[in-house]
Amino acid sequence: MLIATALVLAIGQGATAEVPPDFVVRISYGLCWNESVDTATGRFSRRIRDQVVRRAKLTLSPDQRRRLFALVSTVDLFAYPQHFESPGAPMTEPAPDYTVEIRSSGRQHVVQWVDYGGSDAASVGLRAMLRAVREFLVALPSVQRLPASQIVCL
């Protein structure tokens, strides 16, 4: 409940959050690395099928940039280890894997994570943040125009 409340507040406060000028986020996510976003290059990429990738240009308004920053800020990515493992998480396959790179206020950090469904606070928070960021991105008109992925992961 606390994570959901933080995400609702982040979305609502997105219009007032101060975004550091060097804020950049790069995220590769989804089962089989189907999608990635890079705010430094302004690209959202989706693998449609083997050897076929389609890209959308991301042009974020100042308000959208503040909302994205607020969503990413719901967890302290700088506090996560580079290779994050959920303590005591059950091994479920297939499991989505993520790489999150953030640059903000002169700091840079990368977090790699295979989400085996852990219920610890760090896993739940990271999962909720990544879900909210993806929902925000796929709602953008340029991303909505991309074809759906046809990849089936076993």
Side-chain angles (χ1 to χ4, degrees):
M1 181 67 171
L2 183 60
I3 299 298
T5 302
L7 288 172
V8 168
L9 290 173
I11 292 170
Q13 294 174 352
T16 61
E18 185 65 33
V19 181
D22 66 340
F23 172 68
V24 170
V25 65
R26 293 178 181 98
I27 304 173
S28 296
Y29 57 93
L31 212 48
C32 300
W33 298 93
N34 288 335
E35 297 174 332
S36 64
V37 62
D38 184 341
T39 62
T41 61
R43 292 281 180 217
F44 182 97
S45 300
R46 177 177 291 151
R47 190 166 54 166
I48 307 304
R49 58 184 171 275
D50 194 31
Q51 306 297 319
V52 178
V53 175
R54 295 290 182 259
R55 292 173 182 81
K57 183 169 175 52
L58 291 181
T59 305
L60 299 177
S61 70
D63 184 53
Q64 289 170 325
R65 188 168 157 76
R66 283 188 290 272
R67 286 183 60 205
L68 179 60
F69 177 72
L71 287 171
V72 170
S73 298
T74 60
V75 296
D76 181 6
L77 286 170
F78 293 103
Y80 282 80
Q82 183 174 359
H83 298 284
F84 175 61
E85 294 183 19
S86 301
M91 295 293 283
T92 58
E93 293 289 343
D97 49 313
Y98 305 89
T99 299
V100 182
E101 181 181 344
I102 185 169
R103 185 173 65 217
S104 184
S105 301
R107 299 188 304 164
Q108 188 166 337
H109 187 58
V110 175
V111 176
Q112 295 176 324
W113 179 43
V114 178
D115 182 7
Y116 291 115
S119 59
D120 58 293
S123 297
V124 170
L126 188 55
R127 185 179 306 115
M129 181 275 290
L130 289 165
R131 184 177 300 125
V133 167
R134 183 178 186 279
E135 288 172 2
F136 168 76
L137 292 169
V138 299
L140 297 172
S142 60
V143 176
Q144 286 185 352
R145 288 189 287 272
L146 290 174
S149 176
Q150 300 170 3
I151 295 175
V152 177
C153 298
L154 303 177

